[in-house]
Amino acid sequence: MAAVAINLSDILKGIPAGAWVAVEQYRVVAYGADMQQVLAEARKRGAREPLILKVPDRQETLFL
Amino acid sequence: MPRQTFSYIACPLPATDAFPNGQTVYRPLVVSRLTAENGKTFLCVSEIDSGADQCVFPTSFAIALGLDPLTMKQQITGGVGSTGNVTHYANLTIEIGNMTDVNGTMSFSSLLTFKAYVGFLAGLESQGIGLLGECGFFENYPVTLDHKNRVFHIG
């Protein structure tokens, strides 16, 4: 069992800045502006335990 | 607990007036599984942050965990560039780990688990990640940040 280096920039390519994203099995299973809807949609599509993250908003570069 | 080693995550940032060529920052990010006392759970990204007094997460995470901010205990908190943040609290079990690949299937592999009384605040919605801070996390684990070699160690 090896740790996976997930290339998020590849997976998130084309997803709008600021969107919530559900990722499972190396692909985006749902995305949108509302985190609850994204999680619900991912589960509806059969995602068992999706990783929830957010595409950085281009207006906020550094997180201090 | 054996020492666990994680890699810093490279985060490319867009060009700005101050950095016209853009920049790449390296952050100590981990995959975390949050579990509420009601058993609801989900995976998110958290940053190891010794500058945070407590472990905190976006308010939307509380709702996803089936928690109701209107009934949770609260206090006002502040951070860099923000004050007067209404922060709601709940007990969580937090697992930190890696995404691993077993025969082509990607899944979360838990490496360490702790319980913490954590805060949820709207101010983290724009980042969409949690912060693992002093209370709950650093008070329980020695952490070594080896930015030069782009790794950090927990335990």
Side-chain angles (χ1 to χ4, degrees):
Chain A
M1 187 170 68
V4 180
I6 305 172
N7 189 336
L8 285 177
S9 45
D10 274 355
I11 291 175
L12 300 179
K13 200 171 284 179
I15 307 296
W20 288 97
V21 182
V23 174
E24 190 166 85
Q25 301 309 324
Y26 305 103
R27 66 186 180 91
V28 172
V29 288
Y31 71 90
D34 186 291
M35 189 269 207
Q36 314 305 326
Q37 288 181 5
V38 168
L39 185 57
E41 184 66 25
R43 286 174 173 157
K44 201 165 89 179
R45 293 179 180 176
R48 195 174 53 83
E49 190 174 34
L51 173 63
I52 301 296
L53 48 89
K54 195 169 190 183
V55 180
D57 187 331
R58 307 307 278 179
Q59 300 304 311
E60 297 187 22
T61 55
L62 277 175
F63 181 34
L64 298 174
Chain B
M1 186 201 81
R3 188 166 86 150
Q4 305 291 347
T5 299
F6 299 82
S7 297
Y8 272 75
I9 304 297
C11 303
L13 302 179
T16 63
D17 186 37
F19 295 90
N21 296 320
Q23 53 186 322
T24 298
V25 296
Y26 294 86
R27 294 174 175 157
L29 300 174
V30 292
V31 178
S32 307
R33 178 189 278 143
L34 311 182
T35 303
E37 290 181 327
N38 60 18
K40 290 194 174 182
T41 181
F42 78 98
L43 294 180
C44 66
V45 176
S46 301
E47 181 159 5
I48 306 299
D49 184 0
S50 63
D53 291 333
Q54 302 161 340
C55 299
V56 287
F57 298 90
T59 301
S60 57
F61 287 17
I63 297 165
L65 289 166
L67 304 172
D68 179 3
L70 294 176
T71 64
M72 295 162 70
K73 292 185 176 177
Q74 67 179 56
Q75 72 171 0
I76 303 299
T77 62
V80 176
S82 66
T83 57
N85 302 316
V86 179
T87 306
H88 300 90
Y89 287 83
N91 290 304
L92 293 187
T93 298
I94 301 173
E95 295 166 78
I96 295 173
N98 285 324
M99 300 309 290
T100 56
D101 189 305
V102 180
N103 299 324
T105 299
M106 186 177 85
S107 61
F108 176 71
S109 179
S110 178
L111 297 175
L112 58 94
T113 304
F114 61 97
K115 293 180 184 295
Y117 189 51
V118 312
F120 296 92
L121 66 161
L124 282 172
E125 294 294 336
S126 61
Q127 285 79 30
I129 64 171
L131 303 178
L132 301 179
E134 294 291 343
C135 293
F137 180 63
F138 280 89
E139 68 180 347
N140 289 316
Y141 298 102
V143 177
T144 305
L145 300 174
D146 182 1
H147 192 117
K148 184 176 181 182
N149 292 305
R150 307 265 162 75
V151 294
F152 56 101
H153 311 282
I154 303 174

